[in-house]
């Protein structure tokens, strides 16, 4: 059983600043605060605590949106889980503590608020966003529904698909992002996210 530690520049533990931190047990990431779990697809492995810390530090150095930078610097946003496969599709979980203003924003409102920033950030990396749509992702295996944003991207002449699912709990938001080279693989990787019953 692993509890993430040392997130961002300000280390926090699950019993301190936030109750939004998940746990990894074997091949399953479980976040009771958000009532979701993610079981690794075959061929995937979780990043360890040092790799997550490096990802949080990289966001602080590379992101061009001041609000995002400030959130990561203060520990109000952080990567809680990342898993990758050899052929490079990946899944990651970012937790954001939005504060008291979050009580007036639902998941669809959150997606709409960050939509332009996500597209701008992708375009700034040299990727070309070909299309984006917002709506609901339904896990066909379980029937679980999540508010989502889906993007079709072209990077270095190759297609890439990304879907971002948003889940709210209290004044915390969880963003689950999956990236894959085709839509079938995207859905296959997403299908491992389920509500805890």
């Amino acid at each position: 059983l692993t509890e993430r530690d040392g997130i961002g520049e300000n280390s926090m533990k699950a019993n301190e600043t936030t109750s939004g931190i998940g746990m990894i047990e074997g091949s399953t990431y479980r976040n009771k605060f958000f009532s979701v779990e993610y079981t690794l697809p075959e061929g995937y492995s979780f990043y360890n605590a040092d790799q997550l810390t490096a990802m949080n530090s990289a966001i602080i150095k590379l992101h061009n949106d001041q609000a995002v930078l400030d959130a990561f610097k203060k520990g109000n946003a952080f990567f809680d889980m990342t898993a990758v496969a050899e052929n490079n599709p990946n899944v990651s979980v970012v937790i954001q503590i939005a504060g008291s203003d979050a009580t007036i924003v639902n998941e669809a409102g959150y997606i709409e608020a960050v939509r332009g920033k996500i597209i701008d950030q992708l375009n700034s990396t040299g990727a070309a966003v070909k299309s984006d749509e917002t709506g609901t992702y339904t896990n066909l295996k379980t029937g679980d529904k999540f508010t989502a944003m889906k993007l079709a991207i072209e990077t270095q002449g190759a297609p890439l698909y990304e879907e971002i699912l948003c889940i709210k709990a209290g004044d915390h938001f969880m963003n689950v992002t999956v990236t894959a080279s085709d839509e079938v693989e995207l859905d296959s990787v997403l299908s491992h996210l389920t509500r805890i019953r």
Side-chain angles (χ1 to χ4, degrees), residues 157-168:
L160 195 64
Y161 297 90
E162 184 169 283
E163 193 145 0
I164 303 163
L165 310 185
C166 181
I167 304 156
K168 183 182 180 191

Side-chain angles (χ1 to χ4, degrees), residues 110-151:
Y110 181 89
I111 289 276
E112 189 54 39
V114 301
R115 181 179 156 272
K117 291 180 180 183
I118 290 168
I119 292 169
D120 289 346
Q121 184 63 30
L122 285 166
N123 287 333
S124 76
T125 65
V129 176
K130 298 298 187 181
S131 69
D132 69 280
E133 57 186 72
T134 57
T136 302
Y137 167 78
T138 302
N139 184 321
L140 297 178
K141 293 179 183 176
T142 64
D144 294 329
K145 295 181 183 297
F146 301 95
T147 301
M149 175 182 179
K150 188 173 184 177
L151 301 133

Side-chain angles (χ1 to χ4, degrees), residues 33-34 62 118 145 154 164-165 179:
F33 186 79
F34 287 94
L62 301 174
I118 290 168
K145 295 181 183 297
E154 188 176 288
I164 303 163
L165 310 185
T179 306

